[in-house]
Amino acid sequence: MPLEQVVVLLAAAAGAGWVDAVVGGGGLVQLPALLMTGMPPVQAMATNKFSSVFGTASAAVAYARSTKIDRQVALPGAALAVVSAGLGAWAAAAISADVLRPVVMVVLLGVAAFVTLRPSMGALPQPHLRTDGRVVAAVAAAGVGIAFYDGIMGPGTGTFLIIAFTTILGLDFVAASASAKIINVGTNLGALAVFGLQGHVQWALGLGMALCNVAGAQLGARMAIRRGTAFVRVVLLCVVVAMVIRLGWQQFG
């Protein structure tokens, strides 16, 4: 691979780590960069997972040091996510992304409208929403549904996790982002295990990108913690709009 392409990929990995640490959606940056090199889509997805798991784990540690992690949801959700994302990765070859993209676009547009029309959402914690039933629903949504999606397609997983935790459990955006990172580590590990066994991971390239992803993730996590929920909300909306544009271009462009 030419040196210029490697430099672009390392820069994309750092940017993806920052985005992923704040609101998720780092694949929006990193995956297209890998595909632009001419790498087969499955190899690009696999290498993206290898790089991302390091950055996500790094961000999770940064959040855990200064923000309360909802362990009652994050730990069982992450355990389920390993299995669900692995199943999603295994099924990736059987389900066409062309079928999934329109559905994801509609969901993302709904997310954008919901966050825009409800500016109070995620601004402050709403502990009165938390019930045993909602905890079970959050674990199922994150550890099964969203995790399976991450294995089969991926873009926006962290964003979906944050929205799930704010709407179902009433967490604020920073706390939701912190808990989402734990789940996201599980989804990345599950999908990576399957892709690795199938021989799709570009290990050397992925390791270099992982180092840059960690650097970006550390910066992003610290900025989110320092600047608070208003900052996360703005970045969330920007990422959602960018994902809709990207998926629309892939589907109709």
Side-chain angles (χ1 to χ4, degrees):
M1 184 178 294
L3 179 60
E4 296 82 1
Q5 285 188 346
V6 174
V7 171
V8 169
L9 289 175
L10 294 179
W18 186 91
V19 172
D20 227 21
V22 179
V23 294
L28 176 71
V29 179
Q30 194 164 254
L31 194 54
L34 285 163
L35 291 170
M36 285 173 61
T37 67
M39 188 179 296
V42 176
Q43 284 190 12
M45 288 177 64
T47 306
N48 174 61
K49 290 297 180 192
F50 178 59
S51 170
S52 297
V53 72
F54 289 94
T56 305
S58 172
V61 171
Y63 275 111
R65 287 174 176 169
S66 56
T67 305
K68 184 179 179 181
I69 302 291
D70 193 329
R71 298 176 186 275
Q72 189 179 6
V73 174
L75 297 183
L80 285 172
V82 174
V83 178
S84 298
L87 291 173
W90 178 77
I95 301 177
S96 172
D98 291 336
V99 175
L100 292 176
R101 282 194 202 106
V103 177
V104 176
M105 286 171 62
V106 171
V107 173
L108 286 170
L109 286 171
V111 167
F114 192 68
V115 174
T116 302
L117 295 174
R118 292 190 60 184
S120 62
M121 189 191 77
L124 294 171
Q126 300 181 66
H128 64 279
L129 293 179
R130 189 185 186 93
T131 63
D132 290 343
R134 282 176 173 263
V135 169
V136 172
V139 170
V144 180
I146 298 174
F148 185 82
Y149 164 77
D150 192 29
I152 205 167
M153 190 171 177
T157 296
T159 305
F160 291 140
L161 288 169
I162 291 172
I163 294 299
F165 291 154
T166 53
T167 54
I168 298 173
L169 295 177
L171 300 183
D172 64 68
F173 277 136
V174 173
S177 187
S179 297
K181 295 298 163 289
I182 306 297
I183 307 288
N184 220 170
V185 171
T187 65
N188 284 335
L189 284 174
L192 178 61
V194 173
F195 286 136
L197 289 172
Q198 292 175 342
H200 295 306
V201 182
Q202 297 289 319
W203 299 105
L205 174 63
L207 184 59
M209 294 177 69
L211 295 173
C212 295
N213 201 274
V214 168
Q218 285 293 306
L219 179 61
R222 291 173 184 176
M223 287 182 69
I225 293 166
R226 185 172 66 251
R227 298 193 178 189
T229 58
F231 171 71
V232 175
R233 182 175 183 274
V234 170
V235 177
L236 176 68
L237 283 171
C238 291
V239 169
V240 167
V241 170
M243 281 193 288
V244 170
I245 292 172
R246 179 201 161 198
L247 292 171
W249 179 265
Q250 287 179 319
Q251 188 72 17
F252 307 112

